[in-house]
Amino acid sequence: MSLINETHDINLTSWVASANVANCDFPIQNLPFAAVRRKNSNEAFRGAVAIGDHVIDLAKVNELAIFSGDAQTAVAAASQATLNEFMGLGQRYWSALRLALSKALREGAAEQTKLSDALIAQADIEFSLPCRIGDYTDFYTSIYHATAVGSLFRPDNPLLPNYKWVPIGYHGRSSSIDVSGQTFHRPNGQTKAPDAEVPSLGPCKRLDYELELGIYLGKGNELGDAIAIENAENHVFGFCVFNDWSARDLQAWEYQPLGPFLAKNFASTVSPWIVTTEALAPYRTSWTRDENDPQPLGYLESSQNRELGAFDIKMDVQIETAKMREQGAAPSLVSKSSFKHSYWTVAQMVTHHTVNGCNFMPGDMLGSGTQSGPTHEEAGSLLELSRGGKEKITLNNGEQRSFLEDGDNVIMRGWCEKAGFARIGFGSVEGTVLPAK
Ligand code: CA
């Protein structure tokens, strides 16, 4: 089965010259979606697609009526303030619009003159959340992260017995999810030091980031109807880079027996762009389960999932401290990882989430869980990098961190590259810690 089509052709170039520059995040093979408006304006937000250092304003494209059929239906839906209706249309419409945009943006396309009116420089836009995220579930799919964190919280019992059978997750809170550029106050909360008799209330002392992917659901399912694994990815619209900020000292005290609560719901930040599942087709890879581990139950198995169910999405994390900004110094790279290390695939997450009949709505989001890789340098959180706060990591300018300090801006990036295909990027997600209130 091939999921590759003409929109992935490495030889395509665009009449938007900046899209043809090597290492650009947004070549014509990418075409990710966001909700935008002109910076500092009162304009309505509307859907847009990135191309080079510009965006194509989809409300304008709708007005121009240059497309027809499914692509025109899709662009009309995508010109609204949120992408939910477009995401709910389903794969056939997503693909039709992708192909129409790919053709219209190619070098020599007849649509160039008209479509030029829909171009806006990325420097001139601002973003909102790309869709209304009704529900958000955070998974825990990196066994390296689960083992490392488990060994810090429960040294004698790091990986609980259900981990290798169940794609573990918890229901998070969507009201505190915002788009890149989010700032938030260091959360206050209840913590208890191991040697203290009683807990106390105060600002979090162990504030952390979590390097994750956000997975957006497109077409939903009826309450009561499970989504079979063979059909799971038809429900997945696309992916973003996601920072699931975490208060480790609050978490350690509150997490048993019901899981994360206030340690996780004070802020979470998504990258503005949603890279579609279709755009990611070339960077799929096989998914395997170690032969010494339990093999998944039947409902979590399919030949397609084995063959192409994993995605090699590379990710990294940088910290830019307040001092770096004063000095004009570059942010410091602290971690690099890839989603290909995930113990469970996206299809398995979707299928497991609905096996009991739970219903997804268009725009719902799944967090992948912190994507730590097999080596210490690939850890996706400071909790792991600092070995539970026992060590400090040294940044480029000599500053040190065990956990985040006020003023720290955390920058996460994602991208895919593979021989024979264009490199595509997710752009970045940034967020800054303000002092506690
Ligand atoms: Ca998380």
Side-chain angles (χ1 to χ4, degrees), residues 244-379:
D244 183 28
W245 306 91
S246 296
R248 299 301 182 191
D249 41 357
L250 277 64
Q251 184 180 354
W253 172 232
E254 76 175 9
Y255 87 105
Q256 285 182 321
L258 289 186
F261 183 28
L262 302 183
K264 300 280 190 173
N265 68 1
F266 53 92
S268 311
T269 320
V270 293
S271 62
W273 295 106
I274 307 176
V275 175
T276 62
T277 311
E278 187 173 350
L280 292 167
Y283 321 99
R284 286 170 174 273
T285 176
S286 60
W287 175 84
T288 53
R289 173 58 53 82
D290 191 298
E291 59 181 9
N292 299 313
D293 276 4
Q295 301 306 300
L297 295 184
Y299 76 103
L300 297 174
E301 276 282 15
S302 79
S303 54
Q304 187 190 332
N305 190 57
R306 288 270 174 179
E307 196 186 329
L308 291 169
F311 292 84
D312 185 6
I313 300 172
K314 297 170 170 57
M315 309 155 83
D316 69 13
V317 185
Q318 298 171 299
I319 295 178
E320 181 196 61
T321 66
K323 197 167 169 187
M324 288 174 188
R325 284 195 294 279
E326 274 167 33
Q327 297 168 336
S332 191
L333 182 71
V334 288
S335 179
K336 266 191 168 182
S337 188
S338 168
F339 185 50
K340 74 176 177 189
H341 300 304
S342 180
Y343 195 78
W344 299 101
T345 64
V346 171
Q348 288 168 327
M349 287 186 245
V350 168
T351 295
H352 181 68
H353 202 300
T354 61
V355 72
N356 65 346
C358 176
N359 53 332
F360 282 134
M361 306 288 277
D364 284 359
M365 197 181 87
L366 310 178
S368 64
T370 307
Q371 290 305 304
S372 301
T375 69
H376 184 67
E377 293 68 36
E378 293 168 293

Side-chain angles (χ1 to χ4, degrees), residues 189-255:
Q190 195 182 122
T191 58
K192 182 184 163 301
D195 53 353
E197 257 180 47
V198 293
S200 58
L201 179 72
C204 164
K205 294 188 181 72
R206 298 183 139 215
L207 186 61
D208 203 352
Y209 59 78
E210 289 192 331
L211 174 62
E212 302 198 20
L213 282 176
I215 298 144
Y216 285 102
L217 276 303
K219 206 177 173 75
N221 58 308
E222 291 296 320
L223 180 60
D225 286 352
I227 298 176
I229 192 162
E230 292 79 9
N231 192 25
E233 286 189 4
N234 293 335
H235 293 265
V236 179
F237 176 71
F239 297 65
C240 68
V241 184
F242 178 50
N243 185 350
D244 183 28
W245 306 91
S246 296
R248 299 301 182 191
D249 41 357
L250 277 64
Q251 184 180 354
W253 172 232
E254 76 175 9
Y255 87 105

Side-chain angles (χ1 to χ4, degrees), residues 414-437:
W415 68 97
C416 298
E417 49 198 353
K418 186 179 183 180
F421 291 95
R423 176 199 178 280
I424 64 170
F426 285 71
S428 64
V429 53
E430 300 191 22
T432 304
V433 182
L434 305 175
K437 271 188 181 173

Side-chain angles (χ1 to χ4, degrees), residues 166-193:
V166 179
I168 297 289
Y170 69 95
H171 283 113
R173 193 166 171 84
S174 55
S175 65
S176 50
I177 301 178
D178 206 348
V179 74
S180 183
Q182 184 175 26
T183 59
F184 63 92
H185 294 276
R186 176 179 295 274
N188 290 305
Q190 195 182 122
T191 58
K192 182 184 163 301

